Amino acid sequence: MRTREPHTTRKAAASLLAAAGLALAGCGGGEDEAGTEVDDITGGEVAETPPAEGTTPTDGGTVLPGGTPYGGAYNQEFADDQAVYEGQEVTLSAEIVEVVSDNALEIGDPGDINLDPLLVMHDLGATGLEQDQTVEVVGTVMTSFELATVEEELGVELEDEVYTDYEGDPWLHATEVTPTEAAE
């Protein structure tokens, strides 16, 4: 007749090994009491996160009351972090680089040759806006322009050849475009 002793012994040995593993993990594997530095884990780089509501990001933009995650200049810092704001409403100030059509314009900073202009699509119709005019734009950040989707969202037919170069590029679906100074 077989006894349950071997099963009990194996179970006890497994429990003892698990407890020993936990004890070693809790001890830090022989590290000194100072512990591991953040630089040891991140390799010296710190990941950026979007700013909390009501704080000022490092690029000079601000989080606006009511939860708008970004309000400030369209600059390289915003362009670099644009994916963070995808699907969120932002407020940008910039200069009109080009009026593409009655439903589109490009904004940018003519003083920064490394900053790619941002396509701004809207369903506001002819706005009377002109190149070199400074504007404030309120809209939703989108990370990939697709003509058919944009036409559906805006409820308009757009000229395919005008928008071919924008396919896959980031863009802004604007609900407001307001001049902040007269065109020169």
Side-chain angles (χ1 to χ4, degrees), residues 18-70:
L22 287 173
L24 285 175
C27 291
E31 292 287 322
D32 63 9
E33 288 189 29
T36 304
E37 295 292 322
V38 174
D39 284 347
D40 294 341
I41 297 170
T42 63
E45 294 184 27
V46 178
E48 291 187 28
T49 57
E53 185 173 335
T55 63
T56 302
T58 57
D59 59 8
T62 57
V63 177
L64 302 175
T68 300
Y70 182 87

Side-chain angles (χ1 to χ4, degrees), residues 168-182:
D169 288 350
W171 63 286
L172 192 73
H173 183 176
T175 54
E176 296 177 39
V177 181
T178 309
T180 55
E181 66 181 44

